[in-house]
Amino acid sequence: MSDSLGKPGEACGVFGAFVPETHVANLIYFGLFALQHRGQESAGIAVSNGQRLTTYKDMGLLSSVFDRNTLAGLQGGIGIGHTRYSTTGSSTWANAQPAFRAIGPRSVALGHNGNLTNTAALAERLGSSGTTDSELMTSAIAERIHKESDIPLWEAIAGVVPDFEGAYTLVVMDDTSVVAVRDPHGFRPLSLGRIGPDGWVVASETAALDLVGATFERDVEPGELVVLDERGVTSHFPQDPVPSRLCVFEYVYFARPDSVLAGQNVQAARVEMGRQLARESGVPADVVVPVPESGIPAAQGYSWESGIRYEDGLVKNRYVGRTFIEPEQMLRERGIRLKLNPIKDVLDGQRIVLVDDSVVRGSTTRQLVEVVRAAGAQEVHLRISSPPYRWPCFYGMDTSDRSSLLAAGKSEEEIEAFLGVDSLGYLSLAGLEGSVSDATQTFCTACLSGDYPTPIGPDKFVLE
Ligand code: SF4
């Protein structure tokens, strides 16, 4: 599955809050609002008033799942929230999150961003045919509490996370605390913020902290487990450290431009990718045109670095993908134009540098090149502000089928011919990494390099 412009889907946004004496569901709702881009299939919130944990979740966008009445029914000052994009398990109500378990008098709710890579082994150990990795993790925590009924939530989680392999950023709660965890590689981001005199929040991205009026405190570290409760914030590291591997694609495409990941603003990183792309793959041309909206910052960087003027030559219909009518059924012949329409005056007779942040499956890009040519472009030079996406992601993106990836097993010349462009230039891996951080941060680049930070069984690779 992918978004309407052929990009991979994200795997979820998570939010957690401990803000006593408030109706925290409203705050979580707005936090999730800032994380809607990380998952649009379902949304859910769980809250506790110290005695009773209540969960509400449903399919659809946040604004269609929650209204004034449902939010009013979620009473309490402790809570977690989740927006979901399914990468394992089907897109059904049962798989929406937070996942919930009642264990005797205690209750646990869990929200997950990422994908485990040892789901089958975990299911076998738990004797469960659990539908998703998130459900299995919830079962593992519940099983630990079942064995020791008064164990603190954080200790129960610390006891089971060594059994999880792969990518997991979790928010978990019981009646009295919220626990947030990042896997030791730190594939998915998580930030900690302070709100009011004694409130704390965690969120997948700093933009969500901004939106609820929280002050950024720090990132939750890879491998760190933080407890938010009446004592404030307590930190634990239950596992041995490994090299951190923040997903580099968070900077390329997934994260919001106004978020700061590992100290680096995402928008600034994208502009720098465009500048570096111009240094690596310059070409004589008349105008730089972005593929909106994902290609805009890189196109600006490319233009500023190359001195070639920037113009908007394609207009995105923002509401496509927000309709329940499948456009392909209704307007098949209109194809890509339903999503992106060209501005002929900008493109006609011009040598175009067309800039996008990534090409994953390629069919949309090919149609787009045809549209730009049909609008009169004399030459189309495609520039991509990331390296070829050749390998599947097993850490929370929906690209696990390698046969669907345009660049898998193809040379750049073959890709160029498929897309029908006059020239093609990708940003180098070194250029990408240099654009997104100082020298101390290390990344997962597996989809671009084939270098997987965790063991991946051969059965995971699907090739035609
Ligand atoms: S494989 Fe690619 S998309 Fe997946 S976590 Fe690594 S860098 Fe991110």
Side-chain angles (χ1 to χ4, degrees):
M1 223 178 290
S2 63
D3 85 346
S4 60
L5 288 174
K7 304 288 183 179
E10 244 291 356
C12 305
V14 294
F15 193 91
F18 185 90
V19 194
E21 311 301 324
T22 65
H23 186 80
V24 83
N26 290 351
L27 182 125
I28 296 171
Y29 175 81
F30 286 112
L32 292 181
F33 210 73
L35 301 174
Q36 183 77 86
H37 63 292
R38 298 182 74 90
Q40 294 106 45
E41 289 183 0
S42 62
I45 294 175
V47 297
S48 169
N49 59 6
Q51 276 103 43
R52 183 161 169 266
L53 197 156
T54 316
T55 304
Y56 187 88
K57 62 183 184 177
D58 209 344
M59 305 304 293
L61 292 172
L62 195 66
S63 56
S64 63
V65 171
F66 291 99
D67 61 22
R68 208 179 288 271
N69 289 334
T70 46
L71 286 172
L74 291 167
Q75 295 285 334
I78 307 168
I80 62 171
H82 190 265
T83 58
R84 179 164 195 260
Y85 190 102
S86 58
T87 54
T88 65
S90 51
S91 179
T92 62
W93 185 89
N95 290 342
Q97 296 182 34
F100 175 84
R101 292 287 185 287
I103 315 115
R106 294 180 66 176
S107 306
V108 170
L110 174 145
H112 171 212
N113 178 199
N115 267 170
L116 295 191
T117 51
N118 68 332
T119 307
L122 194 59
E124 196 177 335
R125 188 184 79 62
L126 291 166
S128 162
S129 56
T131 51
T132 65
D133 50 2
S134 312
E135 287 290 334
L136 287 169
M137 286 188 280
T138 313
S139 295
I141 296 164
E143 184 192 67
R144 186 72 188 81
I145 293 173
H146 188 70
K147 283 183 187 151
E148 194 179 338
S149 60
D150 56 355
I151 189 173
L153 178 63
W154 78 264
E155 272 191 50
I157 297 168
V160 297
V161 286
D163 293 336
F164 304 162
E165 286 175 17
Y168 54 92
T169 287
L170 304 176
V171 287
V172 194
M173 68 177 292
D174 63 4
D175 296 322
T176 56
S177 65
V178 170
V179 177
V181 198
R182 277 178 89 191
D183 64 73
H185 290 98
F187 287 102
R188 301 282 150 233
L190 190 70
S191 296
L192 175 70
R194 187 189 280 269
I195 188 163
D198 51 7
W200 293 93
V201 294
V202 286
S204 291
E205 292 185 34
T206 60
L209 304 182
D210 299 340
L211 206 131
V212 301
T215 312
F216 172 77
E217 185 80 5
R218 64 179 178 85
D219 288 335
V220 176
E221 298 294 322
E224 186 178 9
L225 179 158
V226 293
V227 187
L228 318 183
D229 62 13
E230 77 285 345
R231 291 171 302 167
V233 175
T234 322
S235 167
H236 305 270
F237 285 87
Q239 302 185 76
D240 292 336
V242 295
S244 90
R245 288 283 185 264
L246 177 61
C247 168
V248 80
F249 233 73
E250 292 279 351
Y251 292 97
V252 172
Y253 172 69
F254 293 119
R256 285 172 56 128
D258 49 346
S259 284
V260 176
L261 308 180
Q264 168 74 61
N265 169 243
V266 173
Q267 170 80 4
R270 288 177 185 163
V271 170
E272 183 53 32
M273 288 172 212
R275 283 189 178 275
Q276 180 62 20
L277 184 60
R279 291 190 281 268
E280 292 182 9
S281 293
V283 61
D286 303 309
V287 58
V288 177
V289 172
V291 177
E293 294 164 357
S294 55
I296 291 174
Q300 289 170 334
Y302 193 102
S303 167
W304 295 335
E305 187 67 24
S306 66
I308 302 170
R309 83 174 189 281
Y310 171 101
E311 287 214 44
D312 294 317
L314 294 161
V315 176
K316 182 176 180 182
N317 181 347
R318 294 179 185 192
Y319 300 98
V320 83
R322 300 274 185 271
T323 168
F324 292 105
I325 303 168
E326 183 54 43
E328 278 73 15
Q329 288 168 12
M330 197 175 74
L331 287 168
R332 197 181 298 272
E333 74 281 7
R334 302 301 297 161
I336 184 76
R337 282 169 183 259
L338 198 63
K339 304 164 189 168
L340 289 171
N341 203 32
I343 301 175
K344 200 170 181 339
D345 282 356
V346 174
L347 305 172
D348 195 13
Q350 303 293 299
R351 296 171 300 166
I352 308 291
V353 179
L354 186 64
V355 179
D356 203 355
D357 59 359
S358 55
V359 177
V360 177
R361 292 173 182 85
S363 50
T364 308
T365 307
R366 183 155 87 159
Q367 288 178 53
L368 190 57
V369 171
E370 282 171 14
V371 164
V372 171
R373 285 205 192 281
Q378 203 180 87
E379 296 171 9
V380 181
H381 302 278
L382 184 64
R383 294 295 179 268
I384 305 298
S385 60
S386 60
Y389 197 113
R390 295 190 196 279
W391 301 90
C393 173
F394 302 106
Y395 307 120
M397 306 303 161
D398 68 338
T399 57
S400 59
D401 179 358
R402 193 170 183 227
S403 63
S404 69
L405 303 176
L406 170 67
K410 284 201 189 72
S411 68
E412 289 194 21
E413 291 70 31
E414 288 169 323
I415 300 167
E416 190 176 298
F418 174 84
L419 295 174
V421 291
D422 293 283
S423 76
L424 171 67
Y426 284 101
L427 183 60
S428 68
L429 190 54
L432 171 61
E433 291 185 290
S435 300
V436 292
S437 81
D438 58 38
T440 57
Q441 177 69 44
T442 48
F443 298 99
C444 175
T445 60
C447 53
L448 313 171
S449 63
D451 176 16
Y452 289 92
T454 66
I456 303 288
D459 55 309
K460 294 256 185 202
F461 290 90
V462 183
L463 267 174
E464 277 181 343

